[in-house]
Short mmCIF file of all heavy atoms in Angstrom, two decimals:
data_model
loop_
_atom_site.label_atom_id
_atom_site.label_comp_id
_atom_site.label_asym_id
_atom_site.label_seq_id
_atom_site.Cartn_x
_atom_site.Cartn_y
_atom_site.Cartn_z
N MET A 104 2.16 28.81 24.07
CA MET A 104 1.41 27.94 24.95
C MET A 104 -0.07 28.35 24.99
O MET A 104 -0.87 27.63 25.53
CB MET A 104 2.01 27.92 26.32
CG MET A 104 1.27 26.99 27.24
SD MET A 104 1.69 26.81 28.92
CE MET A 104 3.18 27.62 29.14
N GLY A 105 -0.37 29.54 24.55
CA GLY A 105 -1.74 29.96 24.56
C GLY A 105 -2.03 30.98 25.64
O GLY A 105 -3.20 31.41 25.77
N LEU A 106 -1.10 31.34 26.50
CA LEU A 106 -1.31 32.32 27.52
C LEU A 106 -0.66 33.64 27.08
O LEU A 106 0.39 33.63 26.43
CB LEU A 106 -0.69 31.87 28.86
CG LEU A 106 -1.28 30.62 29.47
CD1 LEU A 106 -0.48 30.21 30.68
CD2 LEU A 106 -2.71 30.83 29.85
N PRO A 107 -1.23 34.78 27.46
CA PRO A 107 -0.60 36.04 27.13
C PRO A 107 0.76 36.17 27.87
O PRO A 107 0.94 35.63 28.94
CB PRO A 107 -1.58 37.09 27.63
CG PRO A 107 -2.73 36.40 28.26
CD PRO A 107 -2.50 34.93 28.18
N PRO A 108 1.68 36.97 27.29
CA PRO A 108 3.02 37.13 27.96
C PRO A 108 2.81 37.71 29.34
O PRO A 108 2.03 38.61 29.60
CB PRO A 108 3.69 38.12 27.03
CG PRO A 108 3.06 38.00 25.69
CD PRO A 108 1.63 37.63 26.00
N GLY A 109 3.55 37.13 30.32
CA GLY A 109 3.51 37.62 31.69
C GLY A 109 2.36 37.11 32.51
O GLY A 109 2.21 37.43 33.68
N TRP A 110 1.50 36.28 31.91
CA TRP A 110 0.31 35.79 32.65
C TRP A 110 0.73 35.11 33.96
O TRP A 110 0.10 35.29 34.96
CB TRP A 110 -0.42 34.82 31.76
CG TRP A 110 -1.68 34.29 32.37
CD1 TRP A 110 -1.84 33.08 32.97
CD2 TRP A 110 -2.94 34.95 32.43
NE1 TRP A 110 -3.10 32.95 33.42
CE2 TRP A 110 -3.82 34.09 33.10
CE3 TRP A 110 -3.42 36.18 32.03
CZ2 TRP A 110 -5.15 34.42 33.35
CZ3 TRP A 110 -4.75 36.49 32.26
CH2 TRP A 110 -5.59 35.63 32.89
N VAL A 111 1.79 34.37 33.92
CA VAL A 111 2.25 33.64 35.13
C VAL A 111 3.55 34.28 35.65
O VAL A 111 3.76 34.34 36.85
CB VAL A 111 2.51 32.16 34.84
CG1 VAL A 111 3.12 31.42 36.02
CG2 VAL A 111 1.18 31.47 34.43
N THR A 112 4.38 34.75 34.76
CA THR A 112 5.73 35.16 35.13
C THR A 112 5.84 36.65 35.50
O THR A 112 6.91 37.15 35.81
CB THR A 112 6.73 34.87 34.01
OG1 THR A 112 6.26 35.56 32.81
CG2 THR A 112 6.80 33.39 33.75
N ASP A 113 4.75 37.40 35.49
CA ASP A 113 4.80 38.82 35.82
C ASP A 113 5.23 38.94 37.30
O ASP A 113 4.60 38.38 38.18
CB ASP A 113 3.40 39.45 35.65
CG ASP A 113 3.36 40.94 35.84
OD1 ASP A 113 4.41 41.50 36.16
OD2 ASP A 113 2.30 41.55 35.65
N PRO A 114 6.30 39.73 37.56
CA PRO A 114 6.80 39.89 38.93
C PRO A 114 5.77 40.48 39.88
O PRO A 114 5.79 40.23 41.09
CB PRO A 114 7.99 40.81 38.80
CG PRO A 114 8.32 40.88 37.37
CD PRO A 114 7.14 40.43 36.58
N ASP A 115 4.84 41.26 39.38
CA ASP A 115 3.78 41.85 40.23
C ASP A 115 2.87 40.80 40.86
O ASP A 115 2.19 41.11 41.83
CB ASP A 115 3.01 42.90 39.46
CG ASP A 115 3.79 44.10 39.04
OD1 ASP A 115 4.84 44.36 39.68
OD2 ASP A 115 3.41 44.77 38.08
N ARG A 116 2.88 39.62 40.30
CA ARG A 116 1.99 38.60 40.85
C ARG A 116 2.56 37.96 42.12
O ARG A 116 1.85 37.30 42.84
CB ARG A 116 1.76 37.50 39.81
CG ARG A 116 1.03 37.99 38.58
CD ARG A 116 0.51 36.88 37.76
NE ARG A 116 -0.16 37.34 36.57
CZ ARG A 116 -1.43 37.64 36.49
NH1 ARG A 116 -2.17 37.51 37.54
NH2 ARG A 116 -1.98 38.10 35.38
N GLY A 117 3.83 38.22 42.35
CA GLY A 117 4.44 37.71 43.60
C GLY A 117 4.67 36.22 43.67
O GLY A 117 4.76 35.67 44.75
N GLN A 118 4.72 35.56 42.57
CA GLN A 118 4.95 34.13 42.54
C GLN A 118 6.45 33.81 42.62
O GLN A 118 7.23 34.49 41.99
CB GLN A 118 4.41 33.51 41.22
CG GLN A 118 2.92 33.66 41.06
CD GLN A 118 2.14 32.74 41.94
OE1 GLN A 118 2.64 31.78 42.52
NE2 GLN A 118 0.86 32.99 42.04
N THR A 119 6.78 32.79 43.36
CA THR A 119 8.17 32.34 43.37
C THR A 119 8.43 31.58 42.05
O THR A 119 7.49 31.21 41.34
CB THR A 119 8.45 31.37 44.54
OG1 THR A 119 7.68 30.16 44.33
CG2 THR A 119 8.11 31.99 45.87
N GLU A 120 9.67 31.36 41.74
CA GLU A 120 10.02 30.62 40.51
C GLU A 120 9.43 29.23 40.50
O GLU A 120 8.95 28.76 39.51
CB GLU A 120 11.51 30.58 40.36
CG GLU A 120 11.93 30.03 39.00
CD GLU A 120 13.43 30.07 38.77
OE1 GLU A 120 14.10 30.94 39.37
OE2 GLU A 120 13.93 29.29 37.97
N ASN A 121 9.42 28.63 41.68
CA ASN A 121 8.87 27.29 41.82
C ASN A 121 7.35 27.31 41.51
O ASN A 121 6.85 26.44 40.81
CB ASN A 121 9.14 26.71 43.19
CG ASN A 121 8.76 25.25 43.30
OD1 ASN A 121 8.92 24.49 42.38
ND2 ASN A 121 8.24 24.89 44.47
N HIS A 122 6.65 28.28 42.06
CA HIS A 122 5.22 28.36 41.85
C HIS A 122 4.93 28.68 40.36
O HIS A 122 3.97 28.18 39.80
CB HIS A 122 4.59 29.47 42.69
CG HIS A 122 4.46 29.07 44.13
ND1 HIS A 122 5.00 29.84 45.13
CD2 HIS A 122 3.91 27.99 44.67
CE1 HIS A 122 4.73 29.23 46.28
NE2 HIS A 122 4.07 28.14 46.02
N GLN A 123 5.76 29.48 39.69
CA GLN A 123 5.59 29.76 38.29
C GLN A 123 5.75 28.52 37.47
O GLN A 123 4.95 28.24 36.55
CB GLN A 123 6.59 30.82 37.83
CG GLN A 123 6.37 32.17 38.40
CD GLN A 123 7.48 33.17 37.99
OE1 GLN A 123 8.32 32.86 37.18
NE2 GLN A 123 7.44 34.32 38.60
N THR A 124 6.75 27.72 37.77
CA THR A 124 6.99 26.48 37.06
C THR A 124 5.81 25.53 37.21
O THR A 124 5.37 24.91 36.27
CB THR A 124 8.30 25.79 37.53
OG1 THR A 124 9.36 26.74 37.36
CG2 THR A 124 8.59 24.54 36.77
N MET A 125 5.30 25.40 38.45
CA MET A 125 4.16 24.56 38.66
C MET A 125 2.92 25.04 37.91
O MET A 125 2.21 24.24 37.30
CB MET A 125 3.87 24.44 40.18
CG MET A 125 4.87 23.66 40.94
SD MET A 125 4.61 23.45 42.72
CE MET A 125 3.22 24.38 43.15
N ALA A 126 2.71 26.36 37.95
CA ALA A 126 1.53 26.88 37.24
C ALA A 126 1.63 26.67 35.71
O ALA A 126 0.64 26.32 35.08
CB ALA A 126 1.35 28.34 37.55
N LEU A 127 2.82 26.89 35.18
CA LEU A 127 2.98 26.71 33.75
C LEU A 127 2.89 25.22 33.40
O LEU A 127 2.31 24.86 32.36
CB LEU A 127 4.33 27.23 33.32
CG LEU A 127 4.39 28.78 33.29
CD1 LEU A 127 5.83 29.23 33.02
CD2 LEU A 127 3.45 29.37 32.25
N GLY A 128 3.42 24.36 34.23
CA GLY A 128 3.31 22.92 33.99
C GLY A 128 1.89 22.46 33.98
O GLY A 128 1.49 21.67 33.11
N ASN A 129 1.08 22.90 34.93
CA ASN A 129 -0.29 22.53 34.98
C ASN A 129 -1.11 23.09 33.80
O ASN A 129 -2.03 22.51 33.34
CB ASN A 129 -0.93 22.99 36.31
CG ASN A 129 -0.38 22.27 37.49
OD1 ASN A 129 0.19 21.17 37.34
ND2 ASN A 129 -0.47 22.83 38.66
N GLY A 130 -0.67 24.23 33.30
CA GLY A 130 -1.36 24.87 32.20
C GLY A 130 -1.15 24.13 30.90
O GLY A 130 -1.93 24.29 29.94
N VAL A 131 -0.14 23.30 30.79
CA VAL A 131 0.18 22.58 29.56
C VAL A 131 -0.74 21.37 29.41
O VAL A 131 -1.03 20.97 28.31
CB VAL A 131 1.69 22.18 29.54
CG1 VAL A 131 1.96 21.23 28.41
CG2 VAL A 131 2.52 23.41 29.42
N LEU A 132 -1.18 20.82 30.50
CA LEU A 132 -1.96 19.57 30.44
C LEU A 132 -3.17 19.66 29.52
O LEU A 132 -3.39 18.76 28.74
CB LEU A 132 -2.36 19.15 31.86
CG LEU A 132 -1.18 18.73 32.75
CD1 LEU A 132 -1.68 18.37 34.16
CD2 LEU A 132 -0.44 17.55 32.14
N PRO A 133 -4.02 20.66 29.60
CA PRO A 133 -5.17 20.70 28.70
C PRO A 133 -4.76 20.77 27.22
O PRO A 133 -5.39 20.14 26.39
CB PRO A 133 -5.95 21.96 29.10
CG PRO A 133 -5.47 22.20 30.52
CD PRO A 133 -4.11 21.73 30.61
N LEU A 134 -3.71 21.53 26.93
CA LEU A 134 -3.25 21.63 25.53
C LEU A 134 -2.73 20.30 25.07
O LEU A 134 -2.92 19.91 23.90
CB LEU A 134 -2.18 22.73 25.41
CG LEU A 134 -2.66 24.14 25.74
CD1 LEU A 134 -1.51 25.10 25.72
CD2 LEU A 134 -3.76 24.58 24.76
N GLN A 135 -1.99 19.58 25.91
CA GLN A 135 -1.48 18.25 25.51
C GLN A 135 -2.62 17.27 25.33
O GLN A 135 -2.60 16.43 24.42
CB GLN A 135 -0.53 17.69 26.61
CG GLN A 135 0.78 18.45 26.66
CD GLN A 135 1.66 17.91 27.78
OE1 GLN A 135 1.17 17.49 28.83
NE2 GLN A 135 2.95 17.99 27.63
N ALA A 136 -3.64 17.37 26.14
CA ALA A 136 -4.80 16.50 25.99
C ALA A 136 -5.48 16.73 24.67
O ALA A 136 -5.94 15.75 24.03
CB ALA A 136 -5.76 16.73 27.17
N ILE A 137 -5.62 17.97 24.29
CA ILE A 137 -6.26 18.27 22.99
C ILE A 137 -5.48 17.64 21.85
O ILE A 137 -6.05 17.00 20.94
CB ILE A 137 -6.40 19.77 22.81
CG1 ILE A 137 -7.44 20.36 23.78
CG2 ILE A 137 -6.80 20.14 21.38
CD1 ILE A 137 -7.47 21.84 23.84
N VAL A 138 -4.15 17.82 21.86
CA VAL A 138 -3.33 17.23 20.80
C VAL A 138 -3.47 15.71 20.81
O VAL A 138 -3.58 15.09 19.77
CB VAL A 138 -1.87 17.67 20.97
CG1 VAL A 138 -0.95 16.94 20.04
CG2 VAL A 138 -1.73 19.16 20.79
N ALA A 139 -3.43 15.10 21.97
CA ALA A 139 -3.54 13.65 22.09
C ALA A 139 -4.89 13.16 21.55
O ALA A 139 -4.94 12.17 20.78
CB ALA A 139 -3.37 13.21 23.52
N LEU A 140 -5.98 13.84 21.92
CA LEU A 140 -7.27 13.40 21.46
C LEU A 140 -7.43 13.57 19.93
O LEU A 140 -8.00 12.72 19.27
CB LEU A 140 -8.38 14.20 22.19
CG LEU A 140 -8.54 13.84 23.67
CD1 LEU A 140 -9.48 14.77 24.37
CD2 LEU A 140 -8.96 12.38 23.87
N LYS A 141 -6.93 14.66 19.42
CA LYS A 141 -7.00 14.87 17.97
C LYS A 141 -6.19 13.80 17.23
O LYS A 141 -6.61 13.33 16.19
CB LYS A 141 -6.47 16.27 17.61
CG LYS A 141 -7.46 17.37 17.94
CD LYS A 141 -6.94 18.69 17.46
CE LYS A 141 -7.94 19.78 17.78
NZ LYS A 141 -7.45 21.16 17.37
N SER A 142 -5.04 13.42 17.77
CA SER A 142 -4.21 12.41 17.10
C SER A 142 -4.82 11.02 17.18
O SER A 142 -4.67 10.24 16.27
CB SER A 142 -2.78 12.37 17.67
OG SER A 142 -2.77 11.84 18.99
N LEU A 143 -5.64 10.76 18.20
CA LEU A 143 -6.34 9.48 18.32
C LEU A 143 -7.50 9.40 17.35
O LEU A 143 -7.82 8.33 16.88
CB LEU A 143 -6.81 9.30 19.73
CG LEU A 143 -5.73 8.98 20.77
CD1 LEU A 143 -6.33 8.96 22.16
CD2 LEU A 143 -5.01 7.67 20.51
N ARG A 144 -8.10 10.54 17.04
CA ARG A 144 -9.27 10.55 16.14
C ARG A 144 -8.88 10.29 14.69
O ARG A 144 -9.67 9.86 13.90
CB ARG A 144 -9.99 11.88 16.24
CG ARG A 144 -10.75 11.99 17.49
CD ARG A 144 -11.46 13.32 17.64
NE ARG A 144 -11.96 13.87 16.37
CZ ARG A 144 -12.49 15.06 16.25
NH1 ARG A 144 -12.59 15.84 17.30
NH2 ARG A 144 -12.91 15.50 15.10
N THR A 145 -7.62 10.60 14.32
CA THR A 145 -7.21 10.45 12.92
C THR A 145 -6.60 9.09 12.64
O THR A 145 -6.20 8.38 13.44
CB THR A 145 -6.24 11.56 12.50
OG1 THR A 145 -5.10 11.52 13.41
CG2 THR A 145 -6.91 12.89 12.58
#
């Protein structure tokens, strides 16, 4: 996905599983946008 291992899921960060899922889900949006824009240009 482009993030280093443990960036969101490291237990020392104190995130609940729900917060981790939300953070990872939000992190995918910019990468999906890049793919979508590149596919539209071709």
Side-chain angles (χ1 to χ4, degrees):
M104 181 183 351
L106 298 173
W110 182 261
V111 174
T112 57
D113 186 358
D115 293 338
R116 297 195 182 270
Q118 297 286 346
T119 66
E120 187 174 336
N121 189 37
H122 286 125
Q123 290 175 10
T124 303
M125 287 182 356
L127 289 172
N129 291 339
V131 170
L132 292 176
L134 297 174
Q135 288 176 331
I137 290 169
V138 171
L140 291 172
K141 284 182 179 180
S142 70
L143 288 173
R144 287 179 34 187
T145 57

